[in-house]
Amino acid sequence: GNSVTQMEGPVTLSEEAFLTINCTYTATGYPSLFWYVQYPGEGLQLLLKATKADDKGSNKGFEATYRKETTSFHLEKGSVQVSDSAVYFCALIERGGSEKLVFGKGTKLTVNP
Amino acid sequence: EAGVTQFPSHSVIEKGQTVTLRCDPISGHDNLYWYRRVMGKEIKFLLHFVKESKQDESGMPNNRFLAERTGGTYSTLKVQPAELEDSGVYFCASSLSGGYQETQYFGPGTRLLVL
């Protein structure tokens, strides 16, 4: 079946550090890929998405590129801020299949001043 | 435009009791989804409505869970009787047209604790 694997957290960084959160997927079809973020006390928000190979999603300084050859969708940001502290979820929806999101376990990021 | 809302935000009940969770999707969104995150685990899909019809209920764990969406607007998820393993955060999401490219917008979740 479909699955998403994220790097284990928690991740703690200093402000202005470079961030990478690894995400790889297994899918029988050709999925769309998403990063969702959950800030403390809030619900899930879409951060970015990509729907086909080599697409790059970007938002709020975050980027992720859909790599079909390595089945990956790693999240990156060049300079994190304290306000980026949150839990980040990688997810997929398989094309032509069920419309359900399949999530990774989530990675908690803490950014210290 | 109002987002997805869920009620209650928290619920603490005893094993064997009944709890009903409510979700109000974004106005005009035909697609409504329920997900759940049990402590330390992934967020898991429960079911998907298109208007008032259940499109996919493959994630419903057992017959103690009953979801409805009368009139195709808000939805309720009833757990009866609740068990300890039902504790977790229940999320609702909605989307306009569904499909693999469509963004699902999430509510803040209901935190359920079964004692």
Side-chain angles (χ1 to χ4, degrees):
Chain A
N2 300 332
S3 66
V4 174
T5 302
Q6 285 182 241
M7 64 184 286
E8 294 290 327
V11 175
T12 302
L13 297 174
S14 298
E15 207 164 22
E16 299 183 1
F18 183 85
L19 169 71
T20 300
I21 301 178
N22 289 338
C23 171
T24 57
Y25 67 88
T26 301
T28 54
Y30 189 6
S32 290
L33 301 173
F34 304 80
W35 277 100
Y36 277 84
V37 59
Q38 186 178 24
Y39 297 104
E42 299 184 14
L44 293 164
Q45 301 176 23
L46 178 69
L47 182 59
L48 52 85
K49 69 180 183 182
T51 59
K52 62 182 188 293
D54 300 325
D55 265 2
K56 177 185 284 187
S58 60
N59 186 25
K60 299 182 181 180
F62 290 88
E63 293 183 340
T65 301
Y66 189 141
R67 301 288 187 197
K68 189 180 179 184
E69 63 276 12
T70 55
T71 62
S72 64
F73 193 53
H74 304 321
L75 183 68
E76 296 182 337
K77 186 173 185 181
S79 176
V80 293
Q81 305 300 312
V82 173
S83 58
D84 294 326
S85 298
V87 181
Y88 293 82
F89 295 92
C90 186
L92 67 81
I93 294 179
E94 184 170 354
R95 183 179 309 198
S98 168
E99 295 176 16
K100 62 184 179 184
L101 281 161
V102 176
F103 285 91
K105 288 189 175 182
T107 303
K108 183 176 182 180
L109 170 67
T110 300
V111 181
N112 295 318
Chain B
E1 177 182 301
V4 177
T5 57
Q6 293 186 244
F7 182 83
S9 59
H10 295 77
S11 181
V12 181
I13 60 172
E14 293 187 351
K15 176 183 172 180
Q17 290 186 321
T18 298
V19 62
T20 300
L21 314 181
R22 173 170 169 145
C23 169
D24 286 77
I26 294 172
S27 178
H29 281 195
D30 286 340
N31 293 268
L32 186 149
Y33 309 81
W34 283 99
Y35 294 86
R36 156 174 97 165
R37 188 183 192 197
V38 174
M39 182 68 71
K41 301 285 184 71
E42 296 93 336
I43 301 170
K44 294 282 194 182
F45 167 82
L46 295 177
L47 84 159
H48 170 205
F49 284 99
V50 178
K51 297 185 180 179
E52 66 274 11
S53 299
K54 291 176 184 175
Q55 182 78 5
D56 180 357
E57 51 184 331
S58 61
M60 295 288 266
N62 52 60
N63 59 10
R64 296 186 294 104
F65 289 75
L66 176 63
E68 295 180 326
R69 193 183 182 195
T70 306
T73 54
Y74 71 91
S75 174
T76 57
L77 180 65
K78 180 190 287 188
V79 185
Q80 179 182 29
E83 298 289 345
L84 300 179
E85 63 265 24
D86 300 332
S87 296
V89 182
Y90 290 76
F91 292 102
C92 175
S94 71
S95 70
L96 183 60
S97 58
Y100 69 94
Q101 298 185 72
E102 191 74 9
T103 296
Q104 295 181 22
Y105 297 88
F106 281 75
T110 294
R111 295 184 181 277
L112 175 64
L113 179 60
V114 182
L115 301 176

